[in-house]
Amino acid sequence: MIFVTVGSQKFQFNRLIQKVDDLAASGEITDKVFFQIGVSDYMPKHGEYSRFLDRDEFSEISGKCDIVITHGGTGAIIGAVKWGKKVIAVPRLARYKEHVDDHQLQLLHQFDEMGLILPCYDVDGLAEALRQVRGMTFNAYESNTDTIVRSIERFIDGE
């Protein structure tokens, strides 16, 4: 299954949702697709969808999917990587009124350099990205939380 998630931004991401829906309509995507569409006004015709998901629903769908196609949000990417999913990330862009700026481009570059995701900077490359991602192996996500906590503990203990 493919899980398409656009997060909970106050901006639409019709461009991504429609492209995945078109790929499903043309038969380029044969997997079952679940869309989390947020405030987007494009309604997919070739898969189930919900505007928003609560934590349990999100976890359930994440657990069932093999591939996550997501916007370039840090939380969505890290969550999918922690689940061990293959991630294709597409940045929201200001010129399409999908965000206020293009910071997601930088985020995708960073995650790509870490070997965690396959970035797709143009939705017209999404079919190729789907073909590529299936055969790719990504690095495991390593959280710095434990390191930060130990540093704080050492500081508090006066070490």
Side-chain angles (χ1 to χ4, degrees):
M1 182 172 89
I2 296 172
F3 180 24
V4 179
T5 179
V6 302
S8 57
Q9 292 285 329
K10 62 182 179 178
F11 304 101
Q12 56 78 26
F13 204 1
N14 294 324
R15 187 170 57 100
L16 175 60
I17 296 163
Q18 185 169 0
K19 185 61 172 184
V20 175
D21 201 36
D22 290 348
L23 292 172
S26 72
E28 289 187 74
I29 292 177
T30 57
D31 304 73
K32 179 179 175 184
V33 181
F34 188 93
F35 299 83
Q36 180 269 309
I37 66 168
V39 300
S40 302
D41 51 23
Y42 179 84
M43 305 299 173
K45 299 165 191 68
H46 302 281
E48 294 181 51
Y49 70 91
S50 179
R51 285 205 177 276
F52 299 100
L53 301 168
D54 65 30
R55 186 178 305 267
D56 291 337
E57 292 167 323
F58 197 92
S59 292
E60 180 183 339
I61 293 166
S62 293
K64 291 179 182 177
C65 74
D66 303 303
I67 297 169
V68 174
I69 301 174
T70 183
H71 67 120
T74 303
I77 291 171
I78 290 176
V81 170
K82 281 182 176 179
W83 275 86
K85 304 305 175 178
K86 294 186 177 204
V87 177
I88 299 171
V90 181
R92 291 175 175 271
L93 299 173
R95 71 175 172 259
Y96 299 114
K97 299 184 180 1
E98 296 162 348
H99 218 301
V100 297
D101 61 26
D102 291 338
H103 72 278
Q104 289 192 354
L105 290 169
Q106 289 100 8
L107 291 171
L108 266 58
H109 284 295
Q110 291 294 322
F111 283 115
D112 184 28
E113 285 179 9
M114 296 166 64
L116 298 173
I117 66 163
L118 176 62
C120 180
Y121 296 105
D122 182 341
V123 293
D124 288 335
L126 199 51
E128 179 58 28
L130 278 162
R131 283 189 285 278
Q132 286 180 345
V133 80
R134 293 179 192 283
M136 295 178 74
T137 302
F138 296 95
N139 293 331
Y141 174 75
E142 294 181 29
S143 174
N144 285 331
T145 304
D146 292 338
T147 303
I148 293 168
V149 169
R150 282 193 300 276
S151 293
I152 293 169
E153 288 173 342
R154 284 194 303 271
F155 176 77
I156 291 170
D157 293 341
E159 293 178 16

